[in-house]
């Protein structure tokens, strides 16, 4: 059990160690290569010994032999490079100097803070400086290379021209009898370095004609011709174009490998090539195997053979390299160990293919002039060869993919399944092909089911498909999906995106010569033409063709060239590449990247397309997305600014503005600031500043620039001016200066929309300046929602002290239209004015609203509802306002207010004929007679006259009213009906003149008599009800007082506070119970004592009641009743009630104090718990 747990611990420790190694690799790769200190994880103040110690500790962790991380080698190389840089004193001093420079630049921004964040900012600033330096260095190098390339291109162009003239002269002499075609045919047949659009169509026709001549059927892929993603694709015009037309953009770029390659080729010549993910493997005619990186730097070299190396192969892990040579040996060499396997077949071996999983299965397949395909396999118990196939001719090419092996021989291409140990299929050579060994077959596995074959002038694509489960034969069968014949020799075949990339040699004459040679003829000696690299689409259309003037091409044959495909080590890391090999030269071929494409477009001033392609690449769209890192942002901006300048010069300011907004940087760096300021002034000079004003960055620029922009827009585009003022953060411009300019412009503005925009801007600016007194003015004018709430929330009452009229207008806007006075008095604005009279004095508000009487009336009416005393100084004004705007409420105001002047009020009412109000005022003035006359004469309102006389309660008024009414029938009837109970009807009737006809007097008299009878009946009925209630209540009181009272042990005497049980007790009608000795006078107590024998047993009442005889109980009851009657004769008084009566009497004269009232309320609580009132009972 202990051993098992120990094993688990060791496994866990091993996993933890591996995890820490992988984490360290990720950390090193995540650091910038410009910061060696971060890579090594040492501080800037480290010493050389610290650097060595850190390097040793970290190199043990991330060494490729110690960890399985896929990028451990890259991390290790980066760590080594960082250690080398820091151990170099000069380099370390330069890095520290750059760090100090970055520190000084940041010191101005970081005033006091000097913590870890500041140090991180210094490192980032240092990286920025180093990136800028590196970019400038690369720009200079690029310019130098461009100059050198231009010179080399001129030399090559001159040499090409001379070569073309010689070829033309020779062709002219050799083809005299064939010059019967037109000038167009002659031009179509002429060769050039770059094919034209018309050439593509012509070559397509030639390819199709060649395929038709072969009598073969072509089965094209279902997707047809795919997009090249290049400007070099021909346009669908189909017409021949002359040389004056612009050249199409090339699809590929070429580079001769440098590094160690030129030195290697000085002493040796290359014979074969193999490209894998990490490196390239070359075989030479001197028997050397050379491993180089993709830049041409030597990695490893060894002498494997004594003669020419014919073929090399690499396993999938890139750990073993197999080579085959003319010395008859196959050598498998380990790159990272000393494992070497040598097998000698005694005959030249022309091809070898190593098992992709050679580290697990030690086997390879080879073939040569012996015509046998041999599999060598080494197991732990044995090793040996297995003959897979025997051909009549040599085996010249072998390729291995997964479990499938393909080789080429005289019979054709054979496909063998190693896993099932059986041959799957044979793809026969096309009819009419040259001799098999004359032109090497080019095999290329596209994937585990697709094989590309290029042999002589034929190109085939073979697809391996699975048979039906019930079908006989091998599991897979071959189907030729593409087959076409060319007019050139195929020296190499690969895929370029979804198209064929073909390295070609010669023309149809070369192929025909091969056929002649295969029939026994002699090869015609002539100078060879340079090879060409052609791009052919899936629909057999030649998209482009580039002539490659390699060194010594005139002496080379088709088998001297090779084309190898190099896949990137990681998807998306680098674009695909191909390598073309000749005996003395190695050329790297890559798709033209974004930088090349952009350069080609800008040279032709097609800036718009260049910018669009760069932006698509940055957004990971389009065919250039994988090359997005080739064009830096600085280059993108420079291209955009050049284009914008062209547009500005042409007067196309809107388009130039759009380009500037796309390309100009948005940061606060010096370059960004300088670029923006330059273009802002440029647009200002063109009077088109509004085109870019809304997109100006809000960091880095000087305040002068922002103020200039605002000043320009203030006079040209007020809407955009307002938008920028609201959008720009504080501090960009002087808000006070801008506010003054806006006020000046506001005085000139005529359009309502412009005035409103300027007012909103002023409100915003004054809010930003913290001047609410000014900002609220514009908020109120604009009816800004919530402004009144803000005044109350922020206590800005002083700011609106002089803006009462604006506040009242704000209420009108909020209410909308004519609204009742009640709603207007409940509006927020008038409530704000009336609720805060301390901060907003009433006199100030009245003074401001005097020019707006209606608003003043609303304010004073609301103020009256709050506090009538506040509006006292304005009572006369308020009377006039009520009389003008709301006469119906004037009477109420006259009744509740005492501050107005009677004479002034009477004058106002007389002017407006307000008789009821005049009546009230005259009544307040004491002129009741005049008031009554107004009611009678002007109002002729009998009920009102009677009501007025009743209110004044003046007998003279009744006399005047009766005197006035004695000859007026309507008044007589009115007094009888309404004032019958207030006046003497008899006297009124007697005063009526004889003979006066009074209509309805019978009804009036009947009503008077009915009212008298009704009053008598009501009084009689009320007396009966009262008597019945008194009798009922008295009976109830008597019954309650005659009820018994229960006395328990917890009840105590209210005088001595002793228990009432066991002694004689005295109860009163009020419910209070006392000992008889505590209430009765001693003499009375003595006189009323019981004399019977039962007195002695009074304390044992319970026993007597239970065990005594009926006679004894009857005697005891009689004795109690007798004693009760005796005590009643002395009229005892309850002490508690007597004290209460005394206090009540004293209160009637002096009043109770609060303490006495409290004592009185608490006194019953401190004595005993009272039972309901009962009849007094002696216990």
């Amino acid at each position: 059990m202990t051993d098992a747990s120990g094993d688990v611990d060791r496994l866990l420790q091993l996993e933890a160690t591996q995890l820490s190694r992988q984490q360290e690799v990720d950390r090193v790769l995540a650091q910038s290569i410009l910061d060696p200190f971060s890579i090594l994880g040492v501080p800037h103040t480290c010493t050389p010994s610290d650097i060595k110690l850190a390097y040793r500790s970290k190199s043990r962790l991330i060494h490729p032999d110690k960890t399985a991380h896929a990028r451990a080698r890259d991390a290790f190389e980066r760590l080594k490079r960082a250690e080398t840089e820091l151990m170099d004193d000069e380099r370390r001093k330069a890095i520290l100097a750059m760090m100090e420079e970055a520190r000084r630049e940041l010191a101005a921004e970081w005033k006091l803070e000097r913590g870890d964040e500041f140090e991180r900012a210094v490192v980032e600033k240092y990286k920025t400086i180093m990136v800028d330096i590196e970019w400038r260095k690369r720009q200079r190098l690029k310019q130098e290379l461009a100059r050198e390339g231009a010179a080399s291109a001129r030399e090559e162009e001159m040499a090409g021209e001379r070569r073309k003239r010689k070829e033309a002269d020779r062709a002219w002499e050799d083809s005299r009898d064939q010059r019967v075609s037109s000038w167009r045919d002659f031009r179509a047949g002429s060769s050039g370095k770059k094919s034209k659009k018309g050439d593509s169509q012509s070559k397509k026709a030639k390819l199709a004609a060649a395929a038709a001549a072969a009598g073969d059927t072509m089965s094209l892929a279902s997707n047809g011709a795919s997009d090249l993603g290049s400007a070099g694709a021909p346009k669908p015009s189909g017409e021949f174009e002359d040389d004056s037309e612009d050249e199409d953009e090339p699809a590929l770029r070429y580079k001769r490998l440098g590094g160690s390659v030129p030195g290697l080729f000085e002493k040796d010549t290359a014979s074969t090539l193999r490209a894998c993910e990490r490196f390239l493997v070359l075989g030479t005619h001197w028997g050397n195997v050379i491993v180089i990186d993709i830049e041409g730097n030597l990695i490893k070299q060894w002498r494997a053979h004594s003669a020419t190396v014919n073929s090399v192969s690499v396993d999938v892990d890139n750990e073993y390299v197999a080579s085959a040579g003319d010395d008859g040996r196959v050598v498998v060499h380990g790159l990272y160990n000393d494992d070497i396997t040598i097998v000698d077949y005694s005959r030249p071996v022309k091809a070898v293919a190593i098992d992709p999983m050679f580290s697990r299965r030690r086997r390879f397949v080879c073939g040569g002039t012996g015509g046998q395909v041999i599999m060598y396999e080494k197991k732990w118990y044995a090793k040996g060869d297995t003959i897979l196939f025997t051909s009549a001719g040599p085996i010249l090419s072998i390729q291995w993919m997964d479990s499938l092996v393909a080789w080429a021989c005289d019979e054709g291409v054979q496909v063998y399944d190693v896993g099932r140990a059986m041959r799957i299929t044979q793809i026969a050579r096309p009819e009419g092909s040259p001799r098999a060994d004359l032109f090497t077959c080019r095999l290329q596995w596209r994937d585990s089911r697709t094989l590309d074959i290029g042999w002589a002038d034929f190109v085939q694509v073979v697809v391996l498909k699975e048979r039906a489960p019930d079908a006989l034969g091998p599991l897979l069968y071959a189907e030729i999906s593409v087959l076409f014949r060319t007019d050139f020799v195929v020296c190499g075949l690969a895929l370029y995106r979804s198209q064929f990339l073909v390295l070609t040699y010669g023309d149809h004459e070369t192929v025909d010569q091969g056929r002649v040679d295969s029939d026994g003829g002699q090869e015609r000696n002539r100078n060879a033409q340079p090879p060409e690299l052609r791009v052919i689409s899936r629909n057999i259309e030649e998209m482009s063709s580039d002539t490659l003037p390699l060194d010594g091409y005139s002496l080379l044959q088709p088998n001297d060239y090779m084309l190898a495909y190099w896949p990137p080590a990681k998807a998306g890391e680098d674009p695909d590449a191909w390598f073309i090999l000749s005996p003395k030269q190695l050329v790297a071929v890559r798709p033209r990247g974004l930088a090349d494409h952009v350069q080609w477009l800008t040279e032709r001033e097609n800036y718009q397309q260049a910018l669009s392609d760069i932006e698509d690449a940055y957004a990971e769209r389009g065919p250039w997305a994988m090359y997005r890192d080739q064009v830096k942002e600085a280059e993108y901006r420079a291209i955009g600014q050049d284009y914008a300048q062209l547009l500005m010069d042409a007067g196309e300011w809107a388009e130039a503005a759009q380009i500037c907004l796309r390309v100009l940087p948005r940061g606060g760096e010096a370059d960004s600031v300088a670029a923006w300021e330059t273009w802002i002034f440029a647009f200002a000079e063109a009077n088109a500043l509004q085109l870019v004003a809304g997109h100006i960055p809000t960091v880095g620029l000087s305040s002068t620039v922002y103020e200039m922009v605002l000043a320009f827009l203030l006079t040209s585009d007020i809407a955009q001016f307002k938008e920028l003022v609201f959008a720009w953060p504080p501090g960009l411009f002087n808000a006070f200066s801008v506010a003054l300019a806006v006020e000046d412009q506001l005085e000139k503005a005529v359009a309502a929309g412009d005035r409103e925009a300027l007012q909103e801007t002023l409100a915003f600016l004054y809010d930003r300046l913290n001047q609410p007194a000014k900002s609220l003015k514009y908020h109120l004018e604009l009816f800004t929602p919530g402004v009144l709430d803000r005044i109350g929330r922020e206590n800005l009452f002083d700011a609106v002290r002089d803006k009462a009229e604006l506040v009242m207008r704000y209420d009108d806007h909020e209410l909308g239209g004519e609204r009742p006075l009640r709603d207007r008095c409940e509006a927020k604005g008038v409530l704000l004015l009336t609720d805060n009279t301390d901060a907003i004095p009433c006199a100030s508000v009245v003074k401001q609203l005097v020019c707006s009487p209606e608003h003043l009336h609303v304010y004073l009416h609301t103020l009256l509802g709050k506090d009538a005393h506040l509006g006292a100084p304005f009572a006369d004004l308020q009377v006039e306002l009520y009389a003008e705007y709301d006469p119906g409420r004037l009477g109420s105001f006259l009744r509740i207010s005492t501050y107005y002047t009677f004479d002034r009020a009477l004058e106002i009412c007389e002017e407006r004929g307000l008789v009821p109000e005049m009546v009230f005022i005259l009544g307040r003035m004491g002129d009741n007679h005049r008031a009554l006359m107004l009611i009678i004469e002007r109002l002729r309102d009998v009920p009102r006259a009677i009501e007025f006389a009743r209110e004044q309660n003046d007998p003279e008024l009744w006399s005047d009213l009766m005197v006035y009414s004695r000859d007026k029938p309507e008044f007589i009837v009115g007094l009888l009906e309404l004032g019958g109970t207030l006046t003497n009807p008899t006297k009124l009737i007697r005063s009526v003149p004889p003979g006066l006809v009074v209509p309805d007097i019978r009804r009036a008299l009947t009503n008077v008599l009915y009212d008298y009878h009704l009053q008598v009946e009501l009084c009689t009925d009320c007396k009966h009800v009262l008597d019945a209630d008194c009798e009922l209540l008295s009976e109830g009181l008597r019954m309650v007082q005659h009820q018994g009272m229960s006395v328990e042990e917890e009840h105590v005497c209210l005088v001595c506070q002793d228990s009432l049980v066991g002694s004689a007790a005295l109860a009163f009608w009020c419910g209070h119970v006392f000992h008889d000795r505590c209430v009765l006078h001693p003499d009375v107590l003595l006189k009323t004592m019981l004399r019977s024998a039962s007195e002695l047993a009074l304390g044992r009442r319970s026993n007597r009641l239970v065990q005594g005889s009926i006679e004894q109980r009857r005697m005891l009851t009689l004795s109690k009743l007798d004693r009760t009657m005796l005590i009643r004769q002395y009229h005892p008084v309850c002490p508690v009630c007597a004290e209460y009566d005394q206090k009540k009497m004293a209160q009637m004269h002096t009043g109770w104090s609060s303490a006495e009232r409290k004592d009185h309320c608490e006194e019953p609580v401190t004595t005993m718990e009272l039972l309901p009132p009962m009849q007094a009972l002696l216990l």
Side-chain angles (χ1 to χ4, degrees), residues 71-136:
R71 299 191 64 191
R73 181 172 297 278
D74 297 339
F76 182 77
E77 292 176 356
R78 183 173 293 187
L79 185 71
K80 178 61 179 176
R81 186 161 55 249
E83 186 263 347
T84 303
E85 286 188 1
L86 294 183
M87 290 302 295
D88 186 354
D89 293 338
E90 297 297 330
R91 180 59 179 164
R92 187 171 70 256
K93 290 179 181 179
I95 293 175
L96 293 176
M98 288 295 180
M99 298 286 282
E100 188 62 29
E101 178 66 22
R103 191 183 304 276
R104 284 196 301 269
E105 290 186 11
L106 290 178
E109 301 177 8
W110 298 69
K111 299 296 184 182
L112 299 177
E113 302 176 7
R114 291 294 188 273
D116 295 339
E117 187 176 355
F118 176 73
E119 295 300 328
R120 289 193 294 270
V122 169
V123 173
E124 293 299 327
K125 185 66 175 178
Y126 159 75
K127 292 179 183 178
T128 303
I129 295 174
M130 293 301 297
V131 168
D132 184 63
I133 294 174
E134 184 67 21
W135 180 81
R136 294 177 186 276

Side-chain angles (χ1 to χ4, degrees), residues 403-471:
S403 64
L404 301 179
V405 179
W407 63 81
C409 59
D410 284 354
E411 291 79 4
V413 176
Q414 314 292 325
V415 180
Y416 186 86
D417 189 343
V418 178
R420 294 178 175 82
M422 61 184 303
R423 189 160 59 97
I424 296 176
T425 186
Q426 171 180 315
I427 299 95
R429 297 171 60 209
E431 183 179 354
S433 298
R435 195 173 68 235
D437 60 343
L438 185 61
F439 302 111
T440 302
C441 179
R442 314 294 179 169
L443 299 177
Q444 178 71 38
W445 282 104
R446 188 183 305 177
D447 51 47
S448 61
R449 291 291 184 271
T450 307
L451 178 63
D452 297 331
I453 304 173
W455 204 345
D457 58 344
F458 281 93
V459 175
Q460 295 174 290
V461 178
V462 179
V463 179
L464 301 178
K465 298 183 178 181
E466 295 184 1
R467 295 183 185 272
D470 55 348

Side-chain angles (χ1 to χ4, degrees), residues 258-331:
S260 305
V261 173
L264 295 172
F265 285 164
E266 287 179 0
K267 303 177 182 180
D268 203 350
T269 56
S271 59
T272 185
L273 171 67
R274 178 71 176 183
C276 57
E277 294 178 354
R278 299 182 182 176
F279 45 76
L280 306 177
V281 181
L282 298 175
T284 70
H285 287 283
W286 287 88
N288 293 319
V289 177
I290 304 171
V291 180
I292 61 175
D293 63 14
I294 62 173
E295 298 297 332
N297 301 311
L298 180 62
I299 298 177
K300 199 170 186 178
Q301 178 180 357
W302 64 89
R303 180 74 179 271
H305 302 273
S306 59
T308 300
V309 178
N310 295 317
S311 176
V312 291
S313 180
V314 185
D315 68 330
V316 72
D317 295 326
N318 298 332
E319 295 180 357
Y320 292 90
V321 176
S323 60
D326 282 344
D327 59 355
R329 299 199 308 170
V330 174
V331 180

Side-chain angles (χ1 to χ4, degrees), residues 1105-1116:
L1105 292 176
V1106 176
Q1107 299 176 0
S1109 62
I1110 298 175
E1111 184 62 24
Q1112 288 178 339
R1113 291 198 298 271
R1114 188 179 67 81
M1115 292 298 297
L1116 179 59

Side-chain angles (χ1 to χ4, degrees), residues 847-877:
K847 184 177 179 180
Q848 297 175 57
L849 298 180
V850 72
C851 296
S852 180
E854 189 172 1
H855 289 155
L856 180 60
H857 168 59
V858 174
Y859 171 76
L860 291 176
H861 180 74
T862 308
L863 190 66
L864 178 66
K866 298 288 183 180
D867 189 351
H869 301 288
L870 296 175
F874 321 107
D876 291 342
L877 179 60

Side-chain angles (χ1 to χ4, degrees), residues 46 66 274 538 676 857 881 906 912 991 1018 1104 1127:
C46 63
K66 299 293 184 65
R274 178 71 176 183
R538 297 296 297 273
W676 271 104
H857 168 59
L881 293 172
L906 183 60
R912 291 167 174 78
S991 64
L1018 287 175
R1104 289 197 304 275
I1127 292 173

Side-chain angles (χ1 to χ4, degrees), residues 776-783 787-788 803 806-807 810:
L776 288 177
K777 172 180 180 294
Y778 297 105
H779 282 305
L780 292 171
E781 290 178 352
L782 295 168
F783 308 115
V787 63
L788 298 181
K803 300 175 180 60
L806 294 177
V807 173
Y810 186 92

